[in-house]
Amino acid sequence: MYGKSLLLVSEPSLGADETAALADVISSNWITMGGRVAGFERAFAEAHGVGDAVAVNSCTAGLHLALSALGIGSGDEVIVPSLSFVATANCVIYTGARAVFADIESLERPLMSLADAEAKLTPRTRAVVVMHYAGSVADAQAWRDFASRNNLFLIEDSAHAVGQDRGPIFGDLAVFSFYGNKNMTTAEGGMILGRDKAVLERTRRARAHGMTSTTSERLNARAASYDVLSLGYNYRMSELNAALGLAQLPKLAARNAKRRLIVQTYAEAFGKRPSGLRLPLLGHAPSAHHLFPVVLPQHADRSTVMSSLYEQGIQTTIHYPPIHQLTWFRQHCPGVSLPVTEAFGARQLTLPLHPKMSEADAEYVAGSLLQLLATLAGSGT
């Protein structure tokens, strides 16, 4: 086992600051949505160059609220990538709309294909969700032009791309994830950013049952009651999650820079790679460098590669099984064919990438994979 421990694909960076932040919340005896959530919203919005933000308990909740706030519902269609976490499509279905899957551009550039999205347009298409796979941000101008030309709402699934490295917000709304494996974490949590104050206010109210005031607002105003102005959900962020976010956000730029260094180390270590091994999105900009995906040669059995690397102390995983090939979606969205996504999904492998890694770690991972692929090629496996 490498270094007597498993080198993980991702790992949160938590320490004394996060411990103290959580202890302060406990000591305050106010743990539900309050001042820390509001403070985190302001800080996150400022860090991304917008005036306001809405904190929620997951990116999934944020995507659902974003679609709902834009009026997406029954009878509508929303174009989404199949190469994403299942939540990207689930949130469309929550609204009663139909998720329409688009293919990726290529094995080297596994971002949603604008040409295929154009081909999937119908009179019912109301929105498109662009996902910044692995932290690599999609072409802002091209997608903005596409949305404007076709009178569509544009939503950024920015779960993989957070911080100034991702560049300016360009969608009507952008939604972020703070899950434990992301570039910054609140354990569970998400954030919605946008420039339309009215739309953001709809998401803010809907995250708390459509109520006109929160518990803390009623306490401070000494108000006895509230009203409900719209259908809403229980998508609130807690003070504990926000405290973690406030501790993590100031460290984000430095940690993204460390991720960029690890990616550069990988690029050098894989410089003389065998035919068939692809390093998608290498050199793509802008990028928050959330994942380091590779595409294995066709001759390499992925399960064998993953097991062999694990024996050498290297965890690997897959991002992602294409959504349209998952059982529920095969049953409810039959007949979907996305050849490039399917080819990518069959051969993709995610290698470790996180700020706790050293350059030597990245060199070890790359060397181990290259040696293993050479062995498999020699044996015909």
Side-chain angles (χ1 to χ4, degrees):
M1 188 70 76
Y2 173 66
K4 298 184 180 180
S5 63
L6 186 65
L7 182 56
L8 300 175
V9 167
S10 62
E11 189 174 345
S13 297
L14 303 169
D17 292 342
E18 287 77 9
T19 300
L22 292 175
D24 286 345
V25 176
I26 300 298
S27 297
S28 75
N29 207 37
W30 189 271
I31 59 175
T32 193
M33 190 170 63
R36 287 176 178 82
V37 171
F40 183 34
E41 290 172 334
R42 289 191 298 270
F44 194 84
E46 182 179 354
H48 290 82
V50 295
D52 199 6
V54 176
V56 288
N57 59 17
S58 69
C59 185
T60 304
L63 288 168
H64 182 201
L65 290 177
L67 289 161
S68 296
L70 294 172
I72 304 301
S74 179
D76 295 333
E77 292 179 354
V78 179
I79 298 173
V80 299
S82 181
L83 185 66
S84 183
F85 183 56
V86 67
T88 307
N90 280 349
C91 295
V92 175
I93 295 165
Y94 294 164
T95 68
R98 176 173 175 255
V100 177
F101 294 107
D103 213 341
I104 57 173
E105 294 182 29
S106 67
L107 297 184
E108 290 81 9
R109 187 177 162 86
L111 301 176
M112 189 163 70
S113 165
L114 194 148
D116 197 48
E118 188 101 42
K120 300 292 172 65
L121 288 171
T122 76
R124 292 188 173 185
T125 308
R126 291 280 313 286
V128 57
V129 180
V130 177
M131 190 267 195
H132 304 315
Y133 179 79
S136 296
V137 178
D139 188 325
Q141 191 61 57
W143 282 105
R144 190 68 262 172
D145 290 346
F146 171 79
S148 298
R149 185 169 66 248
N150 295 290
N151 195 30
L152 304 177
F153 293 116
L154 176 61
I155 298 173
E156 297 180 64
D157 180 343
S158 199
H160 288 190
V162 62
Q164 292 183 345
D165 296 287
R166 59 137 287 151
I169 304 302
F170 60 87
D172 294 289
L173 293 168
V175 187
F176 297 78
S177 173
F178 307 130
Y179 187 61
N181 63 359
K182 296 302 188 288
N183 291 35
M184 62 169 285
T185 185
T186 63
E188 296 279 2
M191 193 75 77
I192 308 168
L193 297 186
R195 302 184 188 279
D196 189 318
K197 292 183 179 180
V199 172
L200 274 182
E201 190 55 35
R202 289 200 290 273
T203 69
R204 193 186 310 279
R205 181 174 294 126
R207 73 174 168 184
H209 302 288
M211 296 164 62
T212 53
S213 62
T214 66
T215 303
S216 62
E217 288 169 344
R218 290 194 299 278
L219 175 65
N220 294 329
R222 300 181 184 180
S225 188
Y226 57 85
D227 196 4
V228 172
L229 302 181
S230 64
L231 180 67
Y233 311 89
N234 187 0
Y235 286 168
R236 296 168 294 199
M237 176 179 279
S238 78
E239 291 288 274
L240 292 160
N241 299 110
L244 284 175
L246 286 166
Q248 291 261 300
L249 185 59
K251 305 171 186 177
L252 178 61
R255 288 174 177 171
N256 278 358
K258 180 63 181 294
R259 287 174 175 273
R260 184 165 56 251
L261 176 62
I262 297 300
V263 168
Q264 291 170 351
T265 303
Y266 270 135
E268 294 171 3
F270 278 117
K272 295 182 179 179
R273 55 188 178 273
S275 175
L277 177 65
R278 303 169 189 258
L279 307 181
L281 299 168
L282 189 65
H284 180 96
S287 177
H289 301 295
H290 175 56
L291 301 175
F292 192 84
V294 302
V295 177
L296 297 174
Q298 289 184 322
H299 69 78
D301 178 76
R302 184 167 59 186
S303 295
T304 299
V305 172
M306 294 178 75
S307 297
S308 298
L309 290 176
Y310 188 90
E311 291 173 1
Q312 297 178 64
I314 302 167
Q315 182 201 23
T316 56
T317 190
I318 300 167
H319 288 87
Y320 293 94
I323 299 173
H324 75 281
Q325 292 185 320
L326 301 175
T327 298
W328 191 93
F329 287 89
R330 289 203 316 270
Q331 294 171 347
H332 292 81
C333 308
V336 177
S337 175
L338 304 173
V340 189
T341 297
E342 291 159 16
F344 187 87
R347 294 166 54 192
Q348 189 275 330
L349 191 68
T350 302
L351 303 183
L353 175 59
H354 55 81
K356 290 184 178 180
M357 288 178 63
S358 67
E359 293 170 73
D361 290 333
E363 291 168 351
Y364 173 72
V365 172
S368 299
L369 178 56
L370 290 172
Q371 184 176 20
L372 175 59
L373 291 177
T375 300
L376 293 176
S379 65
T381 303

